[in-house]
Amino acid sequence: MTYKEIKFFLLLVFFIFSLDLSAKEKTDSQTVEKKIIELVGKMTLEEKVAMIHGNSMFTNGGCPRLGIPPIHMSDGPHGVREEISVNSFKPAGWTTDSASYFPTGTAVAATWNRKLSYIQGQALGSESRARKKDIILGPGVNIHRTPLCGRNFEYLSEDPFLISEMAVPYVEGIQSMDVAACVKHYVANNQEKDRGTVDIQMSDRALHEIYLPGYKSTIQNGGALSVMGAYNKFRGDWCCESSYLLRSILRDQYGFKGIVMTDWGALHSTVKGANAGLDLEMGSRRPFNQFYFADSLLPAVQKGNVPMAVLDEKVSNILRVMYSLKMMDDSLKRATGEFVTPSHSKVAYDVASESVVLLQNRRNLLPLEEGRINSITVLGDNADRKHAEGGFSSGIKAKYEITPLAGLKSKVGDKIKLYYSLGYEKTSDHNFGRGSVELNPKFDSDSLIREAVRLAQRTDVVLIFAGINHDFDTEGYDKKDIDLPYKQVELINAVSEANPNIILVVTAGSPVDLRKVKDKVSSIIWGWYNGMEGGNVIADVIMGKINPSGKMPFTLPESLEQSPAHALNRYHGKEKPLEYEEDILIGYRWFDYKGINPLYPFGHGLSYTSFSYSDLSVNKSNENITLTFTVQNSGKRAGAEVAQVYISSPGIEALRPPVELKGFEKVNLKPGQKSKFRISIPLNDLAWYNEKISDWQIEKGDYKVMVGSSSRDIRLKREFEIR
Ligand code: BGC
């Protein structure tokens, strides 16, 4: 046989095999649907109702008579939460539930590495199975609308494309372990302040272009099996009672067949919620039989206010997910998972190692070189603080967490003299229910600064670990401002007078104001809440074992007032509906459109090496535009670059942001090495949502494609037209 014949033969076999597979899949799903109908047919009203509400903090009721087990859930999204009591959020007191603590949402997004997102999802799924969980409550795909949102650290980005590209593999990874992901919080839970009362108003265009893509893509491309409805209202209805959100969009437009559950306590009615298409009510505030989908649902169904078919639909959606998780058939081998293994530590290390962002590196102070540096002053509460437990529902009782100081000590402590001093004191405390409260200081801040200066004068380099912690980045509260707290600015100013070699390491999952300190330090590293291996990673970045390759997944503004929600005074909105007046101009879209210079733009991140871009060509077919270009490592160290593709649309028929992210790829390159990129963008991805026709529309006209190292560091440009 010739090569061509062999190829043809193999293709034929593949074709027949895939036909066979898809036929099998169809029969499988038909069989499952048949089984679901049979099971539902055998259930009493009470048994059906028992399945659609919580009967402990994190389980629903099963149906023991028919062999249907309860579903076990857990937070999410960056580790399996500690086991809590049946009736309250009090820890259950287990000694075997210390889990792996993985990098949080913004850190994962900052890797811009889909594969890493998948492997973290898979490790999380594996830990969930090992803890016998069926649904893990994550990822959180809400948009970073305001820098103040307390949960930005759990979410991914201000950009819907980056969110989708990173969340889809996360979901696939989780679900590869026979655990359902739960994409949350649907929709527009973009602030924690007044999240339980705020009524969000936005245009359909903003909804479809900005706020929905994370859900659409995880459902349609990632196969997400569950979605969590948010606490807030949307256009006058609670999200969990909005038939527009739950039926028209999720079911009818996206074809979602899985479970829609409430956020904990997010339902406010029986009949409206039931008819709106919600499947499962979870929560904590009342006895479980007093849930809206419990005792009071029985008469509502009996009287016909909630049709039996609607109840059956909910039970069916739940059973369908249980079938896909192999919970309903003992003959199917379900993944058993692994808990806190060295391989999960490696996952945490690998993800963290690509998430760290080098914002600034004047005089190439970084990386430090062993042999040339004899002494380092290490300052800051964040140098030795563990963050895993903070943030409320996403908090992790971590098996271990390496702090930066511990990482530095173990990696270079025997070769370089390390002097640690607090520098500033953490004078806040997070008490859930009261927010951040001011503590009486234990130390005199002037003395702390004096001691820091004294040490800084004596050492070659100073590392200042500043930023915030989960008293600020937390569920339930927004930050009050984006200032660096605890007199960190005073500390940095004073130390900069004593030593010019300062490396500032920022711990935060959302923007903080670096304007006042940027010019006082040589280098700035953004370190995130980076999981249990975070401290080892920071030490390796500082010492050059890791070459940073993270890119900011959000814009760092110069001030809060630069950000759209605050520039337009459209934040908060407890008493009256909160109009998202900035519409589609979120994050860099706003900064670019208004010509505002942020402190660091979206997509920014430096490396210890440099990259050059060349040879961009663009080919357009009826379905795609395909770009090819070359990136070369033009420096002296191996490193990874994220090549970002932005499109500028004609903007004649509608307002379009100056640029929008439509593609990216990350590549590792040795010094001198080149890589040819080929990125295909479906033309449909260039469409805008036209409210007049309630549909997506591709504008005709001249487009620009821009390839670069950040949204404001464009290296190559080409034009193409769509007629
Ligand atoms: C949070 C959810 C979380 C749930 C269960 C709620 O307060 O908003 O994200 O999954 O609690 O802990």
Side-chain angles (χ1 to χ4, degrees):
M1 267 204 253
T2 65
Y3 171 71
K4 265 194 176 162
E5 282 165 346
I6 296 175
K7 207 168 141 191
F8 177 73
F9 177 71
L10 287 176
L11 273 175
L12 193 71
V13 172
F14 176 73
F15 181 65
I16 294 169
F17 183 67
S18 37
L19 269 187
D20 188 47
L21 259 188
S22 72
K24 191 178 164 312
E25 263 168 28
K26 218 166 160 194
T27 352
D28 283 355
S29 86
Q30 279 168 354
T31 321
V32 165
E33 292 304 318
K34 237 174 99 193
K35 284 185 185 164
I36 291 174
I37 293 170
E38 273 167 28
L39 270 177
V40 175
K42 287 183 193 157
M43 290 169 87
T44 65
L45 172 61
E46 287 73 13
E47 283 171 336
K48 291 175 188 173
V49 168
M51 280 193 62
I52 66 163
H53 66 86
N55 80 346
S56 83
M57 293 289 291
F58 283 92
T59 57
N60 69 341
C63 179
R65 184 178 67 89
L66 297 172
I68 304 173
I71 297 180
H72 291 263
M73 300 164 229
S74 170
D75 287 299
H78 45 262
V80 185
R81 187 175 182 175
E82 94 184 283
E83 221 49 48
I84 59 145
S85 309
V86 170
N87 291 308
S88 77
F89 278 114
K90 267 208 213 109
W94 283 25
T95 52
T96 51
D97 57 348
S98 298
S100 293
Y101 161 43
F102 296 106
T104 58
T106 32
V108 177
T111 68
W112 295 58
N113 184 333
R114 300 169 181 90
K115 203 166 139 208
L116 285 179
S117 184
Y118 181 88
I119 65 161
Q120 178 163 321
Q122 193 175 40
L124 177 59
S126 171
E127 299 231 337
S128 307
R129 272 316 295 139
R131 284 269 301 281
K132 306 256 184 290
K133 305 298 177 197
D134 306 306
I135 301 183
I136 187 86
L137 304 173
V141 299
N142 295 92
I143 287 277
H144 287 201
R145 176 176 180 262
T146 157
L148 297 185
C149 176
R151 288 184 98 169
N152 280 344
F153 77 99
E154 279 187 65
Y155 304 149
L156 302 166
S157 172
E158 66 189 22
D159 181 75
F161 181 77
L162 182 61
I163 293 176
S164 300
E165 292 297 299
M166 298 304 287
V168 166
Y170 205 77
V171 166
E172 288 172 337
I174 291 173
Q175 297 193 166
S176 72
M177 298 305 297
D178 300 332
V179 175
C182 181
V183 188
K184 63 190 189 183
H185 307 86
Y186 183 68
V187 63
N189 184 176
N190 306 111
Q191 63 184 54
E192 286 300 281
K193 192 168 170 55
D194 301 321
R195 68 177 176 178
T197 48
V198 66
D199 178 8
I200 306 299
Q201 312 280 326
M202 68 171 87
S203 70
D204 264 356
R205 183 172 179 204
L207 181 67
H208 284 275
E209 288 190 24
I210 305 291
Y211 294 93
L212 287 176
Y215 301 95
K216 185 180 182 185
S217 59
T218 45
I219 289 167
Q220 294 190 334
N221 307 334
L225 291 168
S226 70
V227 170
M228 184 188 288
Y231 281 125
N232 49 286
K233 284 184 177 175
F234 180 80
R235 296 185 185 159
D237 287 327
W238 299 108
C239 285
C240 293
E241 300 177 1
S242 160
S243 61
Y244 176 64
L245 291 179
L246 307 188
R247 282 205 190 282
S248 311
I249 294 179
L250 279 192
R251 306 286 182 196
D252 301 345
Q253 290 184 37
Y254 296 170
F256 181 59
K257 294 204 163 57
I259 300 172
V260 184
M261 69 177 79
T262 61
D263 199 339
W264 268 229
L267 187 59
H268 297 261
S269 70
T270 299
V271 174
K272 191 170 178 195
N275 289 329
L278 179 82
D279 299 316
L280 175 60
E281 182 191 7
M282 297 302 296
S284 50
R285 286 188 206 124
R286 287 161 290 129
F288 299 110
N289 70 313
Q290 288 178 24
F291 276 25
Y292 292 106
F293 276 10
D295 290 356
S296 54
L297 185 57
L298 298 169
V301 176
Q302 279 153 349
K303 284 187 211 144
N305 296 333
V306 175
M308 185 63 89
V310 167
L311 178 60
D312 290 353
E313 181 194 8
K314 301 179 196 314
V315 177
S316 304
N317 290 337
I318 293 173
L319 286 171
R320 191 172 301 113
V321 170
M322 295 175 76
Y323 273 103
S324 36
L325 297 178
K326 304 181 188 151
M327 293 174 71
M328 298 295 294
D329 186 346
D330 290 342
S331 70
L332 295 176
K333 206 171 156 339
R334 192 175 181 197
T336 45
E338 290 183 333
F339 199 55
V340 213
T341 57
S343 72
H344 290 177
S345 295
K346 183 168 182 316
V347 169
Y349 179 90
D350 289 349
V351 175
S353 70
E354 290 204 21
S355 75
V356 172
V357 181
L358 180 62
L359 289 176
Q360 165 178 311
N361 197 17
R362 299 210 173 117
R363 296 180 285 113
N364 290 333
L365 177 60
L366 281 168
L368 303 183
E369 275 169 41
E370 270 173 36
R372 289 183 56 191
I373 300 287
N374 297 314
S375 56
I376 303 179
T377 295
V378 181
L379 300 172
D381 176 83
N382 269 338
D384 208 22
R385 176 158 300 279
K386 295 185 178 175
H387 296 281
E389 283 191 11
F392 191 53
S393 70
S394 68
I396 302 297
K397 180 171 152 191
K399 185 74 181 177
Y400 70 91
E401 178 180 351
I402 309 287
T403 66
L405 185 62
L408 283 162
K409 277 184 183 162
S410 81
K411 304 245 165 191
V412 294
D414 55 342
K415 296 163 212 131
I416 297 176
K417 282 205 184 81
L418 300 171
Y419 300 92
Y420 173 67
S421 183
L422 206 50
Y424 64 85
E425 184 189 359
K426 172 180 174 295
T427 45
S428 60
D429 182 28
H430 187 260
N431 243 333
F432 197 72
R434 280 196 289 142
S436 298
V437 294
E438 291 295 311
L439 296 175
N440 289 329
K442 279 204 219 106
F443 303 98
D444 167 48
S445 58
D446 291 341
S447 318
L448 289 179
I449 293 178
R450 269 199 303 278
E451 174 61 6
V453 168
R454 194 182 67 80
L455 290 175
Q457 278 163 343
R458 295 181 4 191
T459 55
D460 298 332
V461 174
V462 186
L463 286 172
I464 306 182
F465 288 85
I468 51 181
N469 52 50
H470 287 304
D471 294 352
F472 299 84
D473 277 328
T474 181
E475 178 180 346
Y477 299 92
D478 281 354
K479 296 186 289 185
K480 292 187 180 67
D481 50 50
I482 59 168
D483 297 348
L484 284 174
Y486 317 131
K487 303 213 168 150
Q488 290 177 7
V489 175
E490 285 86 334
L491 170 73
I492 295 165
N493 279 340
V495 172
S496 72
E497 302 280 312
N499 192 322
N501 298 327
I502 302 180
I503 298 157
L504 176 66
V505 183
V506 181
T507 302
S510 58
V512 290
D513 181 356
L514 298 179
R515 193 178 25 164
K516 295 194 191 99
V517 296
K518 184 175 180 278
D519 294 331
K520 305 279 174 181
V521 302
S522 301
S523 306
I524 307 180
I525 296 172
W526 196 283
W528 312 110
Y529 303 107
N530 228 343
M532 57 195 174
E533 287 287 328
N536 280 333
V537 165
I538 281 293
D540 284 342
V541 167
I542 289 166
M543 299 313 300
K545 195 173 157 210
I546 295 171
N547 187 350
S549 64
K551 301 274 186 178
M552 288 312 283
F554 51 78
T555 306
L556 273 173
E558 280 208 344
S559 66
L560 185 61
E561 292 66 38
Q562 280 192 331
S563 297
H566 302 277
L568 297 168
N569 198 15
R570 287 288 175 269
Y571 164 68
H572 196 4
K574 183 178 179 183
E575 293 81 18
K576 39 186 178 359
L578 173 59
E579 178 74 40
Y580 282 9
E581 202 180 301
E582 72 285 355
D583 204 51
I584 56 162
L585 296 176
I586 275 298
Y588 66 89
R589 289 166 166 77
W590 167 266
F591 283 79
D592 294 346
Y593 187 79
K594 294 281 176 189
I596 304 168
N597 285 327
L599 201 63
Y600 293 104
F602 176 80
H604 172 73
L606 305 173
S607 165
Y608 296 154
T609 186
S610 53
F611 299 96
S612 62
Y613 286 64
S614 61
D615 303 330
L616 172 62
S617 70
V618 180
N619 275 307
K620 193 171 77 62
S621 72
N622 287 339
E623 274 94 43
N624 296 308
I625 60 156
T626 303
L627 332 175
T628 51
F629 55 94
T630 302
V631 177
Q632 179 171 26
N633 182 342
S634 46
K636 294 197 177 69
R637 280 173 183 268
E641 171 70 328
V642 180
Q644 304 163 36
V645 180
Y646 295 88
I647 299 277
S648 159
S649 313
I652 296 160
E653 293 176 46
L655 179 158
R656 304 296 293 266
V659 302
E660 288 182 286
L661 181 72
K662 295 292 175 188
F664 61 87
E665 280 311 325
K666 190 166 191 175
V667 67
N668 285 300
L669 293 172
K670 297 197 187 91
Q673 195 185 356
K674 283 183 185 173
S675 176
K676 198 159 182 182
F677 284 76
R678 190 168 188 281
I679 297 183
S680 242
I681 302 170
L683 289 188
N684 283 340
D685 282 9
L686 308 184
W688 64 288
Y689 190 85
N690 185 348
E691 292 176 358
K692 286 198 193 117
I693 55 166
S694 298
D695 207 350
W696 295 88
Q697 188 180 321
I698 302 175
E699 241 189 315
K700 296 196 175 70
D702 298 329
Y703 286 75
K704 271 193 211 92
V705 52
M706 284 164 263
V707 180
S709 187
S710 88
S711 64
R712 296 232 173 162
D713 181 5
I714 299 300
R715 309 287 184 83
L716 304 168
K717 273 188 200 172
R718 278 268 180 282
E719 296 193 354
F720 65 97
E721 58 180 31
I722 298 183
R723 292 282 168 240

